[in-house]
């Protein structure tokens, strides 16, 4: 089993050096839409806080997504007055679109965003980004639902927020506590690969990004925050909730069908260089055991029902063989998909053939148990037969798991999901104007301004320098690799059909 960094996986996280203050280490994005009143006080307050408390170079980027008031003029004035402030104008609405565009073009190794109302106490900003700077985590989120968080908001918003996160936990098995808090950060090397996999351009952008990152095994750091609700918020709660539920269904379907190339953003085992020499480290054993037990329990019930039906018109041995054969085929198919993560039709016939061999072993155990029972008693009760079969099936189940893991679905590719797992790939074609990404079976779409290809390992001595130089200016439309020379950007829809007709703002 491989544990080193292989093509298609992220490189090991590295601690950013404390020196090299030329390029900003942190880029804080403030997405805005018609915020002419709040934008100025927000930026001034954030800039003052960063100037006093943040030990690294920083940048504040105002991402104006199609404002129709004087927000663009306010942003330009702030950019002219404060050296660390840059403005960015998009002609289409959508918070997710604004974040994707600005993050994709930023050269800072740590990317963050916060809402313009600054509901979150800024003292949580440094704890938010510190684990990303140190290399400990890949993403970081502020949580209003942590026990130590202090939150002031109405009962309606509290109920909606908690209900939404319960839905995420129940439907997408999300383990992070707060998907909607407007206070998040991500490492740029992670964003380069993760953002093309996120479809949403509105408010569900955060949730989709976190779910994909978590399912891929990336580390998400949570920071308890102090948060005061903005009574003047223009978010349409009902409409936003509806769009979010649609997004939950879409992402859940993509995860269930295996069309998301999660292996694209996998981390190697152990980011310490000493860990990369470790071989044969088993992966996914706990998850596989849980999945196998669930499938096994359902298969046993299915087997007992079939045995009882077949027993009505045949002897115990025939009924046992038929019930075990049918349930074994269903058990192999379920474990192939759910327990060991093997998708697609490739190797399905061979797996079923191997499963039948395992079935033969189980048949020998159960048939032998029935033969012993019949030898001990000429006419055993039906309940006694079932008890003996359950005991024999428990022994066969243990043996079946070991054979499935070691022989039928061995993990030889280091992914913990079997050898014949359907490979999902990300095909990237890049030119200066647009990039087309095909993410497995996930919807193909166009996304401008996104660097492409597998991530190279950043040089340890200067991980955020570009082309051997240090860039201090951030120009609209300029990618981190310095390949886009035009200071203007012709905005296009992220996907041809995506016009964002009713943004929930």
């Amino acid at each position: 089993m491989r544990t080193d960094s292989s093509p298609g996986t992220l490189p090991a996280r590295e601690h950013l050096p404390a020196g090299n203050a030329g390029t900003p280490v942190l880029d804080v994005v403030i997405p805005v839409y018609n915020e002419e009143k709040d934008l100025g006080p927000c930026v001034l307050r954030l800039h003052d806080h960063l100037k006093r408390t943040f030990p690294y170079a920083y940048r504040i980027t105002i991402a104006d997504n199609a404002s129709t008031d004087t927000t663009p003029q306010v942003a330009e004035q702030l950019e002219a007055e404060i050296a660390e402030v840059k403005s960015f104008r998009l002609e289409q609405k959508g918070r997710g679109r604004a974040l994707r565009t600005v993050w994709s073009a930023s050269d800072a190794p740590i990317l963050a965003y916060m809402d313009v109302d600054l509901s979150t106490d800024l003292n949580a900003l440094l704890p938010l980004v510190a684990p990303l700077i140190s290399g400990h985590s890949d993403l970081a989120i502020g949580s209003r639902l942590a026990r130590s968080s202090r939150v002031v908001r109405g009962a309606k918003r509290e109920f909606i927020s908690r209900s939404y996160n319960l839905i995420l936990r129940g439907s997408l098995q999300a383990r992070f506590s707060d998907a909607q808090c407007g206070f998040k950060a991500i490492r740029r090397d992670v964003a380069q690969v993760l953002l093309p996999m996120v479809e949403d351009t509105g408010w569900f952008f955060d949730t989709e990004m976190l779910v994909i990152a978590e399912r891929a095994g990336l580390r998400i750091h949570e920071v308890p925050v102090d948060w005061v609700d903005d009574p003047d918020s223009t978010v349409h709660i009902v409409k936003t909730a509806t769009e979010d539920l649609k997004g939950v269904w879409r992402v859940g379907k993509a995860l269930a069908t295996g069309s998301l190339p999660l292996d694209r953003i996998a981390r190697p085992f152990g980011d310490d260089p000493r860990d990369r020499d470790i071989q044969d480290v088993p992966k996914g054993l706990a998850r596989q055991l849980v999945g196998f037990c669930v499938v096994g329990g359902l298969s046993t019930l299915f087997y007992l029902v079939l045995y009882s039906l077949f027993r009505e018109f045949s002897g115990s041995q025939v009924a046992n063989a038929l019930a075990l054969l049918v349930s074994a085929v269903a058990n192999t198919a379920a474990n192939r998909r759910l327990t060991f993560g093997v998708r697609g039709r490739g190797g399905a016939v061979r797996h079923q053939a191997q499963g039948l061999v395992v079935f033969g072993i189980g048949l020998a155990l159960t048939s032998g148990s029935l033969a012993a029972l019949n030898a001990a008693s000429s006419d055993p009760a039906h309940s006694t037969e079932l008890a003996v079969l359950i005991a024999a099936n428990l022994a066969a189940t243990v043996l079946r798991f070991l054979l499935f893991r070691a022989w039928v679905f061995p993990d030889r590719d280091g992914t913990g999901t079997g050898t014949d797992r359907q490979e999902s790939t990300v095909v990237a074609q890049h030119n200066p104007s647009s990039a087309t990404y095909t993410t497995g079976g996930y919807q193909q779409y166009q996304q401008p301004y996104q660097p492409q290809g597998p991530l190279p390992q950043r040089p340890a001595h200067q991980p955020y320098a570009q082309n051997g130089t240090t860039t201090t200016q951030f120009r609209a439309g300029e990618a981190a690799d310095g390949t886009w020379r035009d200071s203007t950007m012709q905005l296009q829809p992220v996907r041809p059909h995506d016009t964002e007709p009713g943004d929930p703002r």
Side-chain angles (χ1 to χ4, degrees), residues 17 61 83 122 173 213 228 234 256 262 285 308 315 368 428-429 468:
T61 302
L122 291 178
Q173 288 79 50
V228 179
T234 59
L262 300 180
L285 178 59
S308 299
Q429 299 175 347

Side-chain angles (χ1 to χ4, degrees), residues 137-157:
S137 300
D138 299 293
L139 299 92
I141 65 174
S143 175
R144 300 163 295 184
L145 303 181
R147 289 188 177 182
S148 56
S149 298
R150 296 183 297 179
V151 177
V152 179
R153 62 176 166 180
K156 180 180 179 181
R157 287 182 177 271

Side-chain angles (χ1 to χ4, degrees), residues 293-358:
C293 289
V294 172
V295 172
L298 295 176
S299 297
T300 300
L301 293 176
F302 183 49
Y303 161 79
L304 293 175
V305 171
L306 291 176
Y307 176 81
S308 299
L309 292 176
F310 294 148
R311 192 69 174 85
E312 296 293 329
F313 56 84
S314 63
S316 60
Q317 293 288 5
V318 175
N320 173 62
L322 291 176
L324 197 58
L325 176 61
V326 176
S327 61
V329 173
N331 180 277
T332 300
N335 276 308
R336 181 179 187 270
R337 175 64 181 87
L338 301 177
T339 303
F340 298 97
V342 181
R343 305 179 181 94
R345 298 180 180 179
V349 175
R350 177 170 60 84
H351 291 154
Q352 284 292 350
Q354 291 173 310
L356 290 178
V357 175
V358 179

Side-chain angles (χ1 to χ4, degrees), residues 370-391:
L370 284 176
L373 177 62
N374 291 328
S377 176
S378 59
D379 188 20
H382 183 65
S383 59
T384 304
E385 287 184 349
L386 291 180
V388 170
L389 288 174
I390 290 174

Side-chain angles (χ1 to χ4, degrees), residues 16 30 32 56 81 196 203 226 229 265-266 303 328 350 458 469 484 495:
L16 299 177
I30 304 176
V32 292
Y56 293 88
E81 295 176 354
W203 290 89
D226 297 340
D229 189 20
I265 50 177
Y303 161 79
R350 177 170 60 84
R458 291 196 306 270
T469 63
W484 301 332
R495 291 171 297 283

